[in-house]
Amino acid sequence: MRPSLAKTWRSGEPLIWLTGGALAFVLLLVAGLIGLILYNGLGFFWPKDVIRLTLAGGKIMTGQVADREAIPGQRGQSRIKLKVANRDLYGADFTWVDEAEIARREYPPDVAVIERTEWGLLVGTVKEIRDGDAVVATGSEAGWVEVRTRLPEAVRVRAEARRIETRDIGAINFAQEKIRLRLKSLDRKGVTSGPDVEALQQEMASLQVRYTEQARRLGELRKRQGASVVVAADAGKEKALPLAQVLDVYFPNRMSGPAKVWHYAARVWEFVSDEPRESNTEGGVFPAIFGTVMMVIIMSVLITPLGVLAAFYLREYATQGPFVSAVRIAVNNLAGVPSIVFGVFGVGFFIYIVGGSIDRLFYPDALPTPTYGTGGILWASLTLALLTVPVVIVATEEGLAAVPRGVREASLALSATKLETTLRVVLPAVMPSILTGLILAMARAAGEVAPLMITGVVKLAPALPIDGVWPFLHLDRKFMHLGFHIYDVGFQSPNVDAARPMVFATTLLLLGIVVLLNLFAINLRNRLRRTYATVAV
């Protein structure tokens, strides 16, 4: 037995099984994690049926079943977690109900789920529709018909009011701020009167008239939003909800399968295209998607030339010796430095020193309010570029080492200069390795949170870094990020139970964005490899 066992070990088969088993175990862990995220993230948007529970004591509770678990310490007993919503009426979105106390379960078709701009969902029966003090419809069916008729106009008016607030009034405020800074600049130069000051003051007065006009239009729009829907909830409670606050009304218990699929698709589109609401626990995450992708793009533009030039110098031009070896060791060690250390460096160097100097030189009139001397997407991108540049340097150096020396010598023998050989022969051949490093850098940067928290990311950024106002690209603005959004919703939300599904949905979205970015880079790398198949990279 012993010789046979020793022969088996020497053959290497047990090691093959051991390594294969370890790989299978890791793949199972990854698949389980992704499956958990998919289950909790994708199920968040499905319109669940509304159940009405009658308890043994006669109490009635209406809501959506969110979870079910065994009661601790009571064998064979279980309880369900009911999303009753109506936070402004009940004080909480969820409540636990022991199944042993349930006397009857019903799925009434007239129960509506109303998505609103504030206070989360409202669950109940439509009692009546009012236009001011006048009742225009009574009952669930007539009320639903009236809501369906009036809701598109309410949505249009709300969008118009939003446009006035953000575009028209926002543009006036921006112009007023520019004039204020120009007046401050003149005052700093000792010019307190004269034609220039009077022209600016007249322009400011004209802007104030325009502001008053826009404010009047906004007030008229809000006055037109006089319709409201009265919803009857449990325990005899009622809620008069202005139709201007209603985003959607649906009856999940009477929806067919295709209707639920359509509603599901609409909710997913809302999630990826709208702005967040209710402390980021509802609405969409479009600003976070935009900020994440833009930050990764800026970081990639900054990191690629920096890392590639450093790798080319170390491999192609620098004299190999103790100093170059020490630099390589330092670069490799940088990859192990905690990311928060890079964040502190970004605050101290980029924001306080570089940004503060830019403010003193180019924006003195705006001080003490900082322009570049505070967190922004540019400084966050630069910080992450420093964080991930070792990955690009190492990957590029490995690619350069794999390029045969004969290729360089052949180019030089054909009268090409060192620069021409580097640019036209070596650089194209090493591009797949450069893209490999860039892929790894993008994957890490997209998921980093710690350095971003102190270099520019915020909980809510209504203004995107790109808009229609000159200079169109505003690198000084703060931004939202999906990784920080996950942290904020999961650990800083005042409503943890309502926020938990949003955490999984945002995590799934972040994984999808990282995969798409990597697939694009991998496809480009594979094309380059096929083009330069003669080089062993």
Side-chain angles (χ1 to χ4, degrees):
M1 292 294 296
R2 289 184 178 179
S4 176
L5 182 60
K7 183 179 180 180
T8 302
W9 275 103
R10 284 196 301 270
S11 68
E13 289 187 9
L15 185 59
I16 295 175
W17 283 100
L18 181 62
T19 54
L23 176 61
F25 180 70
V26 172
L27 291 177
L28 285 176
L29 289 179
V30 173
L33 177 61
I34 294 177
L36 177 66
I37 296 174
L38 287 171
Y39 175 78
N40 290 277
L42 295 178
F44 172 58
F45 305 104
W46 187 258
K48 297 181 180 179
D49 291 340
V50 178
I51 187 172
R52 177 170 290 166
L53 304 177
T54 303
L55 305 186
K59 183 178 180 180
I60 297 177
M61 303 182 69
T62 306
Q64 299 170 320
V65 178
D67 196 5
R68 184 177 183 271
E69 66 176 24
I71 300 178
Q74 300 184 25
R75 187 175 182 180
Q77 300 293 322
S78 59
R79 61 182 181 177
I80 61 175
K81 187 178 184 181
L82 196 66
K83 184 178 182 179
V84 295
N86 305 359
R87 190 188 319 143
D88 48 343
L89 298 179
Y90 306 146
D93 285 284
F94 296 86
T95 185
W96 287 97
V97 181
D98 293 350
E99 289 191 313
E101 298 180 4
I102 300 175
R104 186 172 58 186
R105 304 177 187 231
E106 301 174 286
Y107 293 89
D110 60 339
V111 174
V113 176
I114 302 175
E115 186 178 354
R116 46 184 176 168
T117 57
E118 299 175 352
W119 295 101
L121 298 179
L122 181 64
V123 178
T125 305
V126 177
K127 182 179 179 181
E128 60 186 22
I129 307 298
R130 298 174 182 172
D131 191 349
D133 296 330
V135 177
V136 296
T138 305
S140 178
E141 294 299 329
W144 164 235
V145 172
E146 191 67 25
V147 168
R148 187 170 53 187
T149 302
R150 292 173 175 262
L151 190 56
E153 176 63 16
V155 171
R156 189 195 66 78
V157 171
R158 184 170 59 247
E160 177 69 14
R162 174 71 173 170
R163 186 188 64 80
I164 293 175
E165 290 176 338
T166 58
R167 194 184 73 177
D168 298 339
I169 295 182
I172 293 174
N173 290 334
F174 181 76
Q176 288 177 329
E177 178 64 14
K178 290 180 63 177
I179 294 176
R180 185 189 70 81
L181 293 177
R182 289 166 64 185
L183 286 172
K184 186 177 179 180
S185 177
L186 291 174
D187 182 69
R188 189 165 50 87
K189 297 175 182 178
V191 180
T192 58
S193 61
D196 292 339
V197 175
E198 292 177 359
L200 290 174
Q201 290 175 345
Q202 291 177 1
E203 188 175 353
M204 179 70 81
S206 175
L207 289 173
Q208 186 61 40
V209 171
R210 289 173 53 193
Y211 180 89
T212 304
E213 174 64 20
Q214 296 300 332
R216 183 190 61 80
R217 287 181 56 201
L218 189 60
E220 291 179 352
L221 282 175
R222 288 172 176 169
K223 287 181 181 179
R224 289 166 52 188
Q225 298 174 317
S228 61
V229 52
V230 180
V231 179
D234 296 333
K237 294 185 177 182
E238 294 183 356
K239 175 68 176 182
L241 181 65
L243 205 60
Q245 298 180 10
V246 175
L247 297 173
D248 190 19
V249 180
Y250 60 97
F251 298 82
N253 292 347
R254 66 170 72 168
M255 294 173 69
S256 61
K260 288 189 175 183
V261 172
W262 178 259
H263 182 86
Y264 179 86
R267 289 287 307 279
V268 172
W269 173 249
E270 174 192 348
F271 178 68
V272 299
S273 62
D274 283 359
E275 296 181 353
R277 305 189 308 272
E278 293 291 285
S279 297
N280 292 343
T281 60
E282 295 181 9
V285 292
F286 176 75
I289 297 174
F290 189 92
T292 302
V293 175
M294 184 175 177
M295 186 208 65
V296 171
I297 292 175
I298 295 175
M299 183 218 69
S300 302
V301 172
L302 295 172
I303 191 179
T304 302
L306 181 64
V308 171
L309 288 174
F312 266 84
Y313 178 79
L314 291 175
R315 177 63 59 176
E316 299 290 321
Y317 294 95
T319 302
Q320 303 302 310
F323 177 75
V324 174
S325 299
V327 171
R328 285 200 178 95
I329 293 173
V331 168
N332 291 330
N333 289 338
L334 278 176
V337 175
S339 60
I340 189 63
V341 176
F342 285 93
V344 173
F345 174 80
V347 171
F349 180 72
F350 291 130
I351 295 178
Y352 291 158
I353 297 178
V354 180
S357 300
I358 292 175
D359 284 348
R360 287 189 294 272
L361 290 174
F362 301 103
Y363 302 95
D365 300 326
L367 293 174
T369 302
T371 302
Y372 280 92
T374 184
I377 192 169
L378 175 61
W379 307 136
S381 301
L382 282 171
T383 302
L384 288 185
L386 290 181
L387 172 66
T388 54
V389 71
V391 179
V392 178
I393 293 176
V394 171
T396 305
E397 274 210 86
E398 291 177 354
L400 289 171
V403 176
R405 185 174 182 82
V407 174
R408 298 178 178 86
E409 294 175 349
S411 176
L412 295 172
L414 293 173
S415 301
T417 64
K418 179 69 173 179
L419 180 60
E420 290 174 337
T421 300
T422 300
L423 295 179
R424 299 183 180 182
V425 177
V426 180
L427 181 59
V430 83
M431 280 300 296
S433 297
I434 295 174
L435 289 176
T436 298
L438 186 59
I439 290 169
L440 297 175
M442 288 192 304
R444 182 177 181 186
E448 281 291 347
V449 175
L452 301 180
M453 294 172 63
I454 54 178
T455 56
V457 75
V458 291
K459 178 185 180 73
L460 181 63
L464 297 178
I466 293 180
D467 57 21
V469 180
W470 174 262
F472 310 123
L473 176 62
H474 307 275
L475 296 178
D476 59 307
R477 287 184 181 174
K478 299 183 185 298
F479 67 105
M480 296 182 67
H481 186 272
L482 286 173
F484 181 77
H485 189 274
I486 294 170
Y487 165 77
D488 175 69
V489 174
F491 299 97
Q492 303 294 320
S493 174
N495 194 349
V496 178
D497 290 329
R500 187 175 295 113
M502 181 69 79
V503 172
F504 286 103
T506 309
T507 302
L508 180 60
L509 182 60
L510 178 58
L511 289 176
I513 290 176
V514 172
V515 169
L516 288 177
L517 290 173
N518 287 349
L519 286 178
F520 173 77
I522 290 171
N523 181 59
L524 182 59
R525 182 187 63 184
N526 292 337
R527 289 187 178 184
L528 290 172
R529 278 181 174 170
R530 288 193 297 267
T531 302
Y532 302 99
T534 57
V535 181
V537 291

